[in-house]
Amino acid sequence: MPIRPPELRTNLLRVGGDSAAILGFQAIAARPDTEDWLLLIDLAPGQYGMLNIKDLTDSTKAQITANPNLALRAIAAICLTADSEEDDATSIRARHQAARDAGQQISRYVIVLRDGEPIGAFLARRPGGSVLSDASDFLRGIKNVPNPGSQPREIQQRADRYVNTDIADGGNPDQVVARTIALTAGTRYYFRIRIGEIEATSIEATPTALQAELLTEDIELQVVLFSEDFDLEANQGTIFVPVTGAAYVRSGQHASLPAGLDSKAQLVTERLLFAITPLGGGVASLRCNLYCRGMLIQSRLISVVVGASEALDAQGTMRRSVLDFNLSTSLAPSVLDQLEPHRLSLMLNTTADGTHAFRLVATDGQELFSNSATLSPTEISNLIELARERLRLTCWGKSSEWNNDTYRYDPTVSEAERAKRFGEDIIALARRGAILYSTAVKDLVGGVQGQRELRKLMRTPGMVQLASKISANDIVPIAMFYDYKLDSQEPNLKICPEFEASLNSGRPLLDEPCFKGECACANGEDLTVVCPAGFWGFRHNIGMPYPVRSRGPEVVTRISYSGIAQMDVAFYSDFPQIKPHLAKLPTLGYQVTQASPRKEVLSLLQKSTPQLVYFYCHGADSNSIPFLRVGGSSNQDYLSTDNFANYEIGWPDQRPLVFINGCHTTSLTPDKALGFVKAFVEDTSAAGVIGTEITIFEPLAQTFAETFLPLFLAGTPIGLAIRTARLTLLAQRNPLGLVYMPHAYAGLTLATS
């Protein structure tokens, strides 16, 4: 068995033979954890010396003062070396002791090599001898070191980031059950997860070699299990992913701790163990989610054969883990440490039998609140359709798809009529949103007490993630969730007076009491009052990041630019109100390049390096194939989802945001529009896509875009920028900002490099 990364010493500083080794000790002495560092000294090809501050005895002190280079060369014993891909730590220790017993001069440390280069070291025997207590001060005080040579450099440690999963015997958690053996119902087992080098016992269907990037900050990954087919002794644990070296489990952050093992045993420090018991026969499912700061990063569906059922494939496989949601291919802290803490992550996916599984994780500091529930194939789709019907009724007065209908919030509508429509619509939306929220969430929180806890947790603004595998039935209009207590069947609902006062004041709504969770409605004191702050879309910063493919690009947290941010604009030229909008866009701070005819649009997108791509266009579909229409009414200038890959349009370095503002769209429903989300993220490497739940009208599209775009340019994260644009419309007594959907990480920012 190769040496495991947990056994490699992380803090290792290296100096060459022509360097003054004392410089290395001075660098170590200046670090916070001085005694945790080792100094690796190159003596000759293939020969190394290894010293620690604790190795500096009083006799060493005199020699160092006299001649640092020669003294340390003489003092440093030749170290035993081992290949990380071949040698087992136990056998190395035995070989090390045998060499010492034979009288060979050998260090107490073992150098671990990969391709002949040191990648770490571990202690083969506890250090002995006297310790110079004031070694740090002594080293700092040495002056005039001759011939400094090359500077000390820190060795980059092995940082494999495979996720390994397997199942072990319940009585012997170190013994993996072969993947060709079915489990037995009612018998206890251990589900095990480890992040490190790939293991032969792993049941991952497609193990992927993850990147060993230069890491910048330690992070923690919360692992949460969900299952209706297994009894779970524990469903949460934490894996610590350090800047260098291997991931490990800290004491107190275990899931299940097997009897007879203490929390420092190697088995439970290098992997998380979950005690599981299959409840019945057949193919049982287990979902394993990895969260970073409350945001879902990866999700796996583990299929397990229990009993005498047939194998999963012709090779006799009885269990398999499939990564079906992925935002990070490397799980590297350099990527994950940029994520902002999330208040809640909600995952929805369609299962094999057509039912919908909700997985919810809410976090308050370090405490996780998690649960899962399932809905029938028709229940959630009906709720989603009812919510969109209510948005269509609000927008053009009919529950059916748009068909040249009139915009109900057009600027030509009188102020009195607009106020009347707004009052009716916000109440009707709240009724529908309350039912949608209750149905989707009630079973996730474990009863009435859980609902109280979740409402309390979600009372003030926070970041929220909707995660899905991106299918038509897995996109919930989460902005319409209304979680304030409400009697949805009360015929005489009224609007929150505190909201009305804020509205009449003319102040920005973002900092008003209602939208900070400070109005009476947040306490649920009167179930006959509707407050717009009860909608998640008006109170929280929501993101719906699109999952990446294996070996695909990482989730984007920041779009960088130098000079002036570039925005490409592709538009339909015959919108009645387009001229003032096109004239306004260059005044928002971007360097704007515009194109309308299809050929010019394709040429622009091929040649440019934008930070934002803005489609102000029609949408349509033909034979269920979605299109974006640019050009004008006299031509058939359509863009389909395959065009971007075939024309080799892509921005892997820029990772721009794509904004589709589709006005007067016919039959391009959200499920069909998802094809463009997929194409832009997967084929062009876009950071995300902004779209809409329903078709929209020019006044709505222009107000939203002209509010959002300068906010995003100013560095406002996309979730907050979209919420601010929604509230800007709300201040105009227009609730339709709720129709906008950001398929991106809610903390995505645009910033100068």
Side-chain angles (χ1 to χ4, degrees):
M1 180 189 301
I3 297 173
R4 292 174 172 174
E7 300 188 64
L8 299 188
R9 193 178 185 101
T10 300
N11 302 330
L12 195 65
L13 210 62
R14 183 179 184 182
V15 290
D18 63 341
S19 300
I22 191 62
L23 290 181
F25 272 126
Q26 288 177 326
I28 289 174
R31 296 172 187 255
D33 301 315
T34 296
E35 293 186 354
D36 291 340
W37 283 82
L38 295 177
L39 181 65
L40 173 67
I41 308 165
D42 292 353
L43 301 177
Q47 293 185 324
Y48 306 95
M50 183 71 75
L51 289 169
N52 176 269
I53 285 278
K54 290 183 178 181
D55 296 311
L56 298 183
T57 62
D58 290 329
S59 60
T60 309
K61 177 180 176 180
Q63 296 181 59
I64 289 176
T65 305
N67 191 325
N69 259 345
L70 296 177
L72 290 178
R73 277 176 172 268
I75 294 167
I78 304 302
C79 282
L80 186 68
T81 60
D83 191 316
S84 69
E85 303 299 336
E86 298 175 0
D87 290 313
D88 177 85
T90 303
S91 64
I92 289 172
R93 287 193 178 96
R95 183 152 52 93
H96 180 276
Q97 188 58 47
R100 291 183 65 83
D101 293 343
Q104 297 179 23
Q105 184 186 22
I106 198 162
S107 164
R108 61 178 62 91
Y109 305 106
V110 172
I111 302 294
V112 182
L113 306 175
R114 177 191 288 168
D115 299 327
E117 282 294 304
I119 63 167
F122 65 86
L123 188 66
R125 184 177 62 83
R126 291 197 175 277
S130 62
V131 176
L132 185 65
S133 60
D134 61 346
S136 297
D137 293 335
F138 165 70
L139 290 169
R140 291 191 189 99
I142 293 182
K143 307 292 184 183
N144 303 319
V145 177
N147 185 26
S150 59
Q151 291 297 310
R153 60 187 178 88
E154 190 171 337
I155 292 181
Q156 184 176 339
Q157 298 287 348
R158 180 173 184 158
D160 291 0
R161 291 289 184 263
Y162 288 100
V163 175
N164 297 280
T165 57
D166 57 33
I167 293 179
D169 184 89
N172 183 5
D174 205 18
Q175 180 62 48
V176 177
V177 180
R179 72 188 72 189
T180 54
I181 299 175
L183 301 189
T184 303
T187 300
R188 177 187 173 97
Y189 298 92
Y190 284 102
F191 173 78
R192 313 189 315 171
I193 180 168
R194 175 175 174 261
I195 297 174
E197 72 273 18
I198 194 65
E199 295 181 320
T201 60
S202 179
I203 60 173
E204 293 298 301
T206 53
T208 303
L210 305 177
Q211 304 164 24
E213 300 183 8
L214 181 62
L215 313 180
T216 61
E217 184 176 327
D218 298 343
I219 55 100
E220 288 186 343
L221 293 177
Q222 285 77 39
V223 181
V224 183
L225 299 190
F226 303 93
S227 183
E228 287 77 40
D229 299 331
F230 288 88
D231 177 61
L232 305 176
E233 177 184 87
N235 75 327
Q236 299 176 21
T238 301
I239 296 179
F240 183 75
V241 185
V243 171
T244 56
Y248 63 92
V249 180
R250 287 170 161 168
S251 179
Q253 295 185 324
H254 303 280
S256 299
L257 190 61
L261 287 180
D262 93 10
S263 61
K264 295 183 179 180
Q266 180 177 324
L267 177 66
V268 295
T269 57
E270 67 181 16
R271 69 185 76 232
L272 276 175
L273 275 65
F274 296 84
I276 62 173
T277 303
L279 298 176
V283 179
S285 295
L286 182 70
R287 183 159 290 278
C288 176
N289 287 359
L290 272 61
Y291 296 87
C292 180
R293 297 175 179 169
M295 183 180 181
L296 180 63
I297 299 302
Q298 289 189 352
S299 182
R300 287 169 167 73
L301 181 63
I302 296 96
S303 300
V304 180
V305 175
V306 181
S309 304
E310 292 185 7
L312 299 175
D313 56 32
Q315 287 70 46
T317 302
M318 294 294 183
R319 56 196 144 276
R320 177 189 298 119
S321 173
V322 175
L323 178 65
D324 59 8
F325 180 88
N326 186 21
L327 288 184
S328 176
T329 56
S330 70
L331 294 178
S334 57
V335 175
L336 301 184
D337 68 6
Q338 299 178 52
L339 298 180
E340 294 293 329
H342 275 56
R343 186 71 54 80
L344 177 141
S345 175
L346 181 65
M347 184 181 190
L348 173 64
N349 63 273
T350 306
T351 59
D353 61 0
T355 59
H356 295 83
F358 274 99
R359 320 291 181 186
L360 177 147
V361 168
T363 181
D364 182 9
Q366 295 297 314
E367 294 184 10
L368 286 174
F369 171 81
S370 62
N371 217 326
S372 64
T374 56
L375 298 174
S376 70
T378 57
E379 191 172 7
I380 191 64
S381 56
N382 288 343
L383 286 169
I384 293 172
E385 178 55 29
L386 287 171
R388 289 179 180 148
E389 278 185 7
R390 186 62 257 175
L391 289 171
R392 291 193 286 265
L393 284 163
T394 302
C395 198
W396 59 82
K398 294 181 182 178
S399 61
S400 56
E401 294 291 343
W402 180 76
N403 186 19
N404 296 314
D405 301 293
T406 304
Y407 181 39
R408 293 181 67 248
Y409 285 85
D410 193 85
T412 59
V413 175
S414 70
E415 188 173 332
E417 179 62 24
R418 186 185 190 89
K420 177 177 177 294
R421 291 180 181 180
F422 173 73
E424 295 169 349
D425 289 337
I426 202 72
I427 287 173
L429 286 165
R431 293 184 196 274
R432 196 60 56 84
I435 295 172
L436 176 65
Y437 170 81
S438 177
T439 305
V441 173
K442 66 181 180 181
D443 291 335
L444 288 174
V445 293
V448 175
Q449 182 59 34
Q451 292 185 50
R452 291 196 193 101
E453 291 176 7
L454 186 59
R455 281 195 176 101
K456 180 180 178 181
L457 179 68
M458 301 296 288
R459 177 170 173 165
T460 56
M463 291 181 69
V464 175
Q465 175 196 26
L466 175 63
S468 76
K469 293 183 290 184
I470 305 298
S471 70
N473 296 322
D474 291 348
I475 301 299
V476 182
I478 190 172
M480 268 192 69
F481 277 13
Y482 186 92
D483 67 350
Y484 285 0
K485 291 181 181 179
L486 185 70
D487 182 354
S488 63
Q489 303 308 309
E490 163 61 44
N492 298 311
L493 295 176
K494 51 187 178 293
I495 296 178
C496 170
E498 293 184 67
F499 166 73
E500 289 283 12
S502 294
L503 202 59
N504 294 329
S505 74
R507 296 186 297 266
L509 295 179
L510 188 67
D511 293 322
E512 288 297 287
C514 288
F515 299 95
K516 295 167 70 175
E518 296 172 358
C519 74
C521 299
N523 295 322
E525 296 172 357
D526 188 345
L527 273 64
T528 67
V529 177
V530 169
C531 181
F535 291 97
W536 280 14
F538 291 137
R539 195 168 82 250
H540 295 298
N541 305 332
I542 297 173
M544 303 159 57
Y546 188 90
V548 301
R549 296 171 295 182
S550 175
R551 297 179 182 271
E554 294 281 350
V555 58
V556 184
T557 60
R558 171 179 167 144
I559 302 171
S560 298
Y561 68 95
S562 57
I564 302 175
Q566 181 176 331
M567 175 168 60
D568 291 349
V569 180
F571 62 92
Y572 178 75
S573 61
D574 290 340
F575 283 132
Q577 302 170 42
I578 192 171
K579 288 185 178 179
H581 186 49
L582 292 181
K584 182 69 179 258
L585 293 177
T587 71
L588 301 180
Y590 296 82
Q591 179 182 326
V592 176
T593 308
Q594 301 176 351
S596 181
R598 182 176 186 272
K599 288 185 178 180
E600 292 182 15
V601 169
L602 290 171
S603 177
L604 170 64
L605 299 182
Q606 280 180 313
K607 298 175 182 178
S608 65
T609 55
Q611 281 71 49
L612 197 143
V613 181
Y614 180 47
F615 288 90
Y616 188 71
C617 59
H618 273 310
D621 85 284
S622 175
N623 298 319
S624 296
I625 299 174
F627 298 95
L628 297 178
R629 188 176 185 185
V630 292
S633 57
S634 62
N635 52 43
Q636 299 294 314
D637 282 6
Y638 293 103
L639 298 173
S640 57
T641 54
D642 63 306
N643 290 158
F644 305 103
N646 289 331
Y647 276 90
E648 297 184 354
I649 295 170
W651 308 284
D653 297 322
Q654 286 73 35
R655 307 296 304 276
L657 174 67
V658 177
F659 186 176
I660 303 175
N661 228 355
C663 300
H664 305 166
T665 295
T666 57
S667 303
L668 188 60
T669 54
D671 55 312
K672 295 174 183 175
L674 282 175
F676 280 103
V677 178
K678 178 181 174 70
F680 280 119
V681 174
E682 293 190 356
D683 297 339
T684 74
S685 298
V689 180
I690 298 176
T692 57
E693 292 278 1
I694 59 172
T695 191
I696 53 176
F697 293 79
E698 281 195 89
L700 171 62
Q702 292 180 9
T703 300
F704 189 92
E706 291 169 14
T707 304
F708 168 80
L709 290 170
L711 286 169
F712 192 56
L713 179 63
T716 305
I718 187 173
L720 178 57
I722 284 179
R723 180 161 70 97
T724 305
R726 287 175 179 149
L727 293 177
T728 299
L729 284 160
L730 190 66
Q732 301 169 8
R733 287 185 165 82
N734 185 338
L736 286 166
L738 293 173
V739 306
Y740 282 88
M741 304 183 300
H743 294 281
Y745 160 57
L748 176 68
T749 56
L750 178 63
T752 55
S753 57

